[in-house]
Amino acid sequence: EDDQEGVRRSKRKRCPATEWWNGTVREVQRRKSGVGVFMPTIKSPGKVKYGKHFINIDELEAKRKSKRAKQQKGKKRGRKKKNQEDDDDEDEVEEDAKDFKTKAWVRDYENGVEAQMTVAKLGSMISMDHLIQQGMSDVPKAQLPLAGKWFETLQFSSGQLILPPKAVKAREVSVSTEIFFVIGGASKSLQVTVEKSVFLLSKGSTFFVPPDNEYELKNLSTEKPARLLFCLVRDQRQIEQDEEEEEEVEEKSSNTKKRKRK
């Protein structure tokens, strides 16, 4: 209808004004036909882009905020991890050892009668001594492992083991089933070698060594000691062997006394 009335519809594409003060520019191209042969034409009339010299403040600020948020998140994680590690060094308030009762009336399964037995002890009641190890006479005393026992019976014994920074519990053969619980130390700093297998353990880990197997413990940390609880469980064969040895010792001592009387 427009053509019939003599009005021609324009085929030009309208372009929004370029905001030169805001860094926007137009992409131009050289076409092989039309007016492009003589002069450059706008590549995308409806689109504008920012020039290379322009810095988008909003985009830059968004990147900075994202970076700061990641850094703050990392710092919080670091503080949380450090606080968890510092908990290892905090001493809990214990009851006074003088007023603490260690014994309880229990049923003796061997005799079938009630008897008093030591069943509980405080942390302050354990006596920690340096482990004397063969071939390590030149090791400084500060790097020697410390060990102490809370309980010692025919069936089991339990206590605590502390490995100072860079300390090593020399390779030895386990006599009984030895169970260990890692209760303190730097992350992945306790190197445990059982026969030919090596493990890196952290706080909360546990491991055990079957009888008649070699094992070695090493604290790789240069700052924090590694603390372990252990329980040595003897099998029936070992218990019978210990009882036989005790009987032999008693028999020898009684024979010695008889000879002295004669």
Side-chain angles (χ1 to χ4, degrees):
E1 296 177 358
D2 292 341
D3 292 340
Q4 293 176 359
E5 294 177 0
V7 179
R8 183 172 62 86
R9 185 183 296 275
S10 175
K11 294 182 179 180
R12 290 182 298 175
K13 295 181 179 179
R14 296 185 179 276
C15 301
T18 303
E19 298 177 351
W20 57 269
W21 66 87
N22 202 22
T24 58
V25 294
R26 296 281 184 186
E27 279 190 284
V28 295
Q29 63 181 353
R30 179 75 71 174
R31 299 176 62 185
K32 295 181 179 180
S33 62
V35 73
V37 178
F38 306 101
M39 64 180 64
T41 57
I42 298 174
K43 187 176 182 180
S44 301
K47 296 180 180 180
V48 295
K49 73 171 190 176
Y50 293 102
K52 293 181 179 180
H53 64 284
F54 176 73
I55 299 176
N56 190 332
I57 300 298
D58 295 335
E59 185 178 345
L60 182 64
E61 187 61 27
K63 288 182 179 179
R64 287 177 177 173
K65 285 183 179 179
S66 176
K67 187 177 180 180
R68 285 196 294 267
K70 288 180 180 179
Q71 289 176 346
Q72 291 294 332
K73 193 174 181 180
K75 287 180 180 178
K76 287 181 180 179
R77 286 179 180 175
R79 285 196 294 267
K80 186 177 179 180
K81 186 176 180 181
K82 187 176 184 300
N83 291 335
Q84 289 176 348
E85 291 179 350
D86 289 343
D87 290 342
D88 297 342
D89 301 327
E90 292 181 0
D91 294 329
E92 296 182 0
V93 179
E94 288 187 335
E95 188 178 345
D96 190 357
K98 295 179 180 179
D99 302 327
F100 187 78
K101 296 180 180 180
T102 62
K103 294 185 177 181
W105 284 99
V106 295
R107 184 177 180 81
D108 190 340
Y109 77 96
E110 290 182 349
N111 303 323
V113 296
E114 286 190 349
Q116 273 198 330
M117 184 180 295
T118 300
V119 297
K121 285 188 178 182
L122 298 176
S124 58
M125 292 179 175
I126 191 170
S127 178
M128 304 294 290
D129 298 315
H130 288 95
L131 290 180
I132 306 301
Q133 305 176 100
Q134 293 182 355
M136 292 193 175
S137 57
D138 57 340
V139 177
K141 196 172 183 179
Q143 292 183 6
L144 288 175
L146 291 165
K149 289 185 177 181
W150 277 299
F151 302 104
E152 181 78 38
T153 68
L154 283 175
Q155 291 76 26
F156 79 97
S157 62
S158 64
Q160 184 176 187
L161 174 66
I162 298 177
L163 297 176
K166 297 183 179 181
V168 177
K169 187 179 186 296
R171 181 176 284 266
E172 65 179 14
V173 178
S174 59
V175 178
S176 56
T177 301
E178 303 190 16
I179 307 169
F180 294 86
F181 304 90
V182 186
I183 61 171
S187 177
K188 295 182 180 180
S189 65
L190 180 62
Q191 179 177 296
V192 179
T193 304
V194 181
E195 290 294 335
K196 296 181 180 179
S197 300
V198 181
F199 309 91
L200 292 178
L201 304 182
S202 307
K203 176 185 174 183
S205 303
T206 181
F207 65 96
F208 84 98
V209 185
D212 300 325
N213 285 273
E214 287 188 349
Y215 75 98
E216 181 187 68
L217 307 179
K218 184 184 294 185
N219 184 9
L220 302 180
S221 175
T222 58
E223 297 179 355
K224 298 194 69 176
R227 295 193 294 147
L228 302 92
L229 298 180
F230 65 84
C231 183
L232 313 182
V233 183
R234 301 181 179 89
D235 59 21
Q236 190 62 32
R237 181 188 60 182
Q238 292 170 331
I239 295 173
E240 292 174 356
Q241 186 177 351
D242 291 342
E243 289 177 346
E244 289 176 0
E245 290 178 356
E246 287 183 1
E247 289 177 359
E248 288 179 1
V249 171
E250 290 179 358
E251 187 177 349
K252 287 180 180 179
S253 62
S254 62
N255 291 336
T256 304
K257 289 179 181 179
K258 288 178 181 179
R259 288 175 185 175
K260 287 181 179 180
R261 288 175 183 175
K262 290 180 180 180

